[in-house]
Amino acid sequence: MEFSQRLQPLQSNVFADMDRAKTLARAAGKNVIDLSLGSSDLPTAAHITDAIAHSLSDPKTHGYLLFNGTKSFREAAAIWYEQKFGISVNPETEVLPLIGSQEGTAHLPLAVLNPGDFALLLDPGYPSHAGGVYLAGGQIYPMPLLAENQFLPVFEDIPQAVLAQSKMMVLSYPHNPTTAIAPLAFFDKAVAFCREHRLVLVHDFPYVDLVFDDSGLEAAGSEENRKLMAPSIFEADRDKSVSIEFFTLSKSYNMGGFRVGYAIGNPEIIQALRQVKAAVDFNQYEGILNGAIAALTGPQDTVKTSVETFRKRRDTFVRALQNIGWQVPIPPATMYVWAKLPEPWARDSVKFCSELVQSTGVAASPGAGFGKSGEGYVRFALVESPEILAEAVRKIAEFFN
Ligand SMILES: Cc1ncc(COP(=O)(O)O)c(C=O)c1O
């Protein structure tokens, strides 16, 4: 059978290769320690699952949710954002419920790009950002993220010819996979750049809460809710002139499997994305939206507990790697460790990861899977207990020896 050309760039996927390597390792009797997926192993809090369970027995939640999700969900998202960042959000025109933030970021290019238009993406970056652009028939200009630039893109390096054909830029900080945080001054620059070049500025913000207390950030937020926070794009684009920001319940509230997120942004961009979604889905199940409302409006101490859990894991893992002579920087945010590969793997992260899983059962993500500039690195997701992470490092040491 012949399928569309737009599927072609989606064919090569190093993560699918890694899945095969994991399956082979399991078949060979290895006990696989899977640090390759950024899927939280922590449970969803009981007040959230209770809200979903309660909804399940209410037949009023069983039908289609047309148009825009529920008003109560949009309001909960707007209030959550306002309390955190002190910037007001109109729940009717500036919030759009999503079936996970990946769904939204992958669909947005269909609303923004004409075939052949460029999207400016972070390299390395989250693979579905590129996937969405390919599905929309767009072209990608990868903006390299280098350690010497604090993993921030250099806008001056984008060729004029590309810029002239560009319609959108996608940022995402705290950044998966490099763990970098962007300072607000960088967002100021990004907003000015996107205004000047008439680009839609997309900020994917799943790790809004996953920032560690030694990250170097200063506490910010409203009086009653001062805490460490990575900046939101709307702190740089207060009148929401060019930006849309994507949020998810997957990370802060350990709800990855429930598939629920939302976008906040410029009303015209929100409306354009809503039009695309109206053609492809009928929104998330209302019971899950009710769980998300419980998460956003309920006690937030579970978020703090999760961050503390990931901080302890990070400390154990990084210290153990350093003890075996692998010098990796301490991540300021996210649930990952981004480690530069030593020789002889410095130019072949796929080889390193497949050999590592086959010989030890430890699975990590090859940096090359996140883009060309990710080559030479490997990403470990901190999705196991400190004891298992320490065991993984013991196995990595054996592998090196
Ligand atoms: C940058 C980024 N965006 C989006 C997602 C997926 O979020 P969701 O579960 O809301 O689709 C992830 C998950 O790892 C991510 O790292």
Side-chain angles (χ1 to χ4, degrees):
M1 247 180 265
E2 216 172 282
F3 293 99
S4 76
Q5 285 171 0
R6 69 176 66 84
L7 285 188
Q8 252 147 48
L10 306 178
Q11 306 289 321
S12 72
N13 181 339
V14 301
F15 298 114
D17 297 346
M18 275 308 298
D19 275 347
R20 271 190 291 280
K22 273 186 274 182
T23 308
L24 285 175
R26 281 196 187 96
K30 290 272 178 257
N31 173 23
V32 171
I33 301 180
D34 194 351
L35 308 182
S36 68
L37 291 177
S39 177
S40 175
D41 57 312
L42 304 177
T44 311
H47 68 278
I48 300 173
T49 50
D50 286 350
I52 297 171
H54 184 75
S55 301
L56 272 176
S57 55
D58 177 1
K60 286 206 288 300
T61 69
H62 296 174
Y64 289 128
L65 262 191
L66 296 176
F67 188 54
N68 226 355
T70 61
K71 187 174 167 61
S72 49
F73 175 80
R74 294 192 304 277
E75 283 175 352
I79 290 168
W80 177 92
Y81 183 88
E82 283 173 19
Q83 283 182 345
K84 231 175 171 67
F85 293 102
I87 296 170
S88 69
V89 169
N90 182 330
E92 293 310 319
T93 57
E94 296 179 338
V95 179
L96 184 66
L98 299 170
I99 306 173
S101 60
Q102 174 163 331
E103 178 264 298
T105 55
H107 276 139
L108 185 66
L110 287 168
V112 175
L113 301 179
N114 284 317
D117 286 343
F118 272 97
L120 310 171
L121 302 191
L122 301 181
D123 170 20
Y126 189 61
S128 97
H129 296 164
V133 174
Y134 287 130
L135 289 177
Q139 301 191 67
I140 288 169
Y141 179 80
M143 300 185 288
L145 304 185
L146 306 179
E148 61 257 39
N149 298 327
Q150 290 71 51
F151 297 113
L152 300 172
V154 178
F155 300 143
E156 293 75 19
D157 289 348
I158 303 167
Q160 280 306 320
V162 169
L163 260 182
Q165 247 189 295
S166 296
K167 291 284 173 52
M168 64 192 283
M169 174 189 284
V170 182
L171 302 177
S172 183
Y173 291 95
H175 183 240
N176 175 13
T178 68
T179 80
I181 295 174
L184 185 53
F186 168 78
F187 281 172
D188 286 337
K189 221 173 133 187
V191 168
F193 186 85
C194 290
R195 280 187 189 142
E196 183 188 342
H197 296 283
R198 304 172 66 83
L199 305 174
V200 169
L201 177 49
V202 179
H203 186 230
D204 192 10
F205 203 11
Y207 304 100
V208 50
D209 291 309
L210 262 173
V211 175
F212 303 118
D213 49 12
D214 50 6
S215 61
L217 281 182
E218 291 193 11
S222 60
E223 287 274 308
E224 64 280 11
N225 194 12
R226 284 189 85 69
K227 56 173 292 207
L228 282 177
M229 287 182 313
S232 157
I233 204 71
F234 302 117
E235 291 176 273
D237 184 10
R238 289 194 165 254
D239 53 3
K240 306 189 190 78
S241 63
V242 287
S243 314
I244 180 167
E245 194 157 60
F246 287 87
F247 295 89
T248 178
L249 282 282
S250 298
K251 310 294 176 184
S252 304
Y253 302 100
N254 304 314
M255 292 181 72
F258 291 98
R259 313 308 304 130
V260 57
Y262 52 96
I264 290 180
N266 171 289
E268 282 180 73
I269 308 175
I270 290 282
Q271 168 61 8
L273 178 55
R274 188 186 291 122
Q275 276 178 345
V276 172
K277 280 175 59 60
V280 290
D281 70 62
F282 274 127
N283 291 301
Q284 182 50 275
Y285 165 54
E286 185 173 346
I288 289 177
L289 292 186
N290 290 340
I293 294 169
L296 294 170
T297 61
Q300 299 298 303
D301 49 338
T302 55
V303 181
K304 269 199 188 129
T305 311
S306 296
V307 176
E308 192 49 22
T309 301
F310 284 113
R311 190 189 60 74
K312 285 192 185 130
R313 293 172 175 192
R314 174 202 74 169
D315 290 347
T316 303
F317 192 68
V318 169
R319 214 175 301 124
L321 285 179
Q322 289 175 346
N323 284 341
I324 64 163
W326 194 353
Q327 297 308 328
V328 300
I330 298 174
T334 74
M335 52 199 285
Y336 309 108
V337 170
W338 185 238
K340 200 168 188 342
L341 282 166
E343 291 296 349
W345 297 282
R347 268 164 296 280
D348 200 344
S349 54
V350 174
K351 184 161 183 263
F352 172 83
C353 289
S354 44
E355 287 181 0
L356 181 70
V357 73
Q358 273 162 38
S359 104
T360 67
V362 175
S365 293
F370 300 95
K372 204 163 147 237
S373 302
E375 185 52 287
Y377 287 84
V378 61
R379 190 198 75 177
F380 295 100
L382 300 167
V383 292
E384 292 284 359
S385 67
E387 295 71 33
I388 294 183
L389 290 171
E391 189 190 334
V393 177
R394 277 193 295 279
K395 291 183 171 193
I396 293 170
E398 279 166 31
F399 178 72
F400 281 156
N401 290 332

